[in-house]
Amino acid sequence: MESASNGEEPISWEELYNINLMPSELFFKFRKEIEGIRVGLNLEFYNAPTNDFQAKLVLKPLSPERRWKFIYEPIHQDVRILSKKIPITKFLNLQIGIGHNFQLHATGWKWKLTTCLGGDGISRIQNKTSLGLFPGMDLRFGWRADYVLPEITGALGTDDPLFNMSTGRLQASLDRVEAIVTHTS
């Protein structure tokens, strides 16, 4: 536990270390490989903070030097073409996309910088882990961990305490579970 310097009660271990195993996103992905292109139907369910559903039709080349993917969302009437994630550094990627919304009659483009590390004042690791159940059936888990490392400090001859320990913090969660069914010819 961490001692509070301002006279408050110490923070409990439950507040310092929290692991949430209830995913907020559940995806069912059905894939079929046809002549060098993967055709996918994604059914995406979101339960937090609001209950939502999306369906997507995804086309992308199977070649390792794939440069794009096509996404159509019939509910929102969006069409997008996205570049693959372009590595800028070892941990930083850039993705560029252009799209059109048929409801709004609007065309535009977006870009996104992503990383598996970093956060807002807190260190973050986020990743996807895949588990092949049998040929054609995979489970993928999207997880993240926000943490502050423990710290020990001390001082002598100052107003600071001789010994002070901050226990750190950990907030880990299982954010997404994907069931992926792939049919190959």
Side-chain angles (χ1 to χ4, degrees):
M1 291 218 189
E2 200 172 276
S3 63
S5 59
N6 57 3
E8 293 179 8
E9 287 293 314
I11 297 174
S12 70
W13 286 107
E14 290 81 24
E15 292 177 84
L16 293 175
Y17 302 99
N18 181 8
I19 299 175
N20 180 8
L21 296 177
M22 181 59 69
S24 58
E25 300 173 356
L26 184 61
F27 289 10
F28 294 102
K29 295 183 175 184
F30 302 95
R31 296 176 175 167
K32 172 82 173 155
E33 297 172 0
I34 303 172
E35 297 185 25
I37 292 190
R38 177 183 291 150
V39 178
L41 173 64
N42 297 356
L43 303 175
E44 304 175 358
F45 301 90
Y46 303 92
N47 72 0
T50 61
N51 292 332
D52 195 13
F53 167 78
Q54 285 188 6
K56 293 180 182 177
L57 178 66
V58 180
L59 302 173
K60 65 180 168 182
L62 289 172
S63 68
E65 59 273 352
R66 165 185 80 79
R67 304 252 188 263
W68 59 272
K69 72 177 167 183
F70 171 85
I71 301 171
Y72 172 60
E73 296 181 30
I75 296 171
H76 299 271
Q77 295 184 359
D78 278 339
V79 174
R80 287 177 289 177
I81 296 178
L82 298 176
S83 73
K84 75 177 218 170
K85 291 181 180 172
I86 304 162
I88 295 181
T89 67
K90 186 176 181 181
F91 298 107
L92 189 63
N93 299 310
L94 172 68
Q95 188 172 35
I96 301 169
I98 186 166
H100 180 76
N101 183 294
F102 291 98
Q103 280 181 328
L104 302 174
H105 304 289
T107 301
W109 68 279
K110 289 183 178 181
W111 58 272
K112 177 170 66 171
L113 282 174
T114 59
T115 181
C116 67
L117 304 173
D120 300 325
I122 294 177
S123 297
R124 171 175 283 176
I125 297 172
Q126 58 187 40
N127 209 338
K128 291 180 183 173
T129 303
S130 294
L131 175 66
L133 298 178
F134 50 85
M137 179 65 178
D138 297 311
L139 288 179
R140 185 182 303 163
F141 304 97
W143 58 271
R144 70 180 160 87
D146 297 329
Y147 63 92
V148 175
L149 292 174
E151 180 180 74
I152 300 173
T153 60
L156 189 59
T158 67
D159 290 340
D160 295 332
L162 179 64
F163 179 82
N164 188 27
M165 184 173 118
S166 171
T167 55
R169 294 181 187 270
L170 172 66
Q171 297 248 302
S173 65
L174 177 64
D175 295 332
R176 174 188 291 187
V177 174
E178 300 177 7
I180 303 167
V181 177
T182 303
H183 182 267
T184 56
S185 311

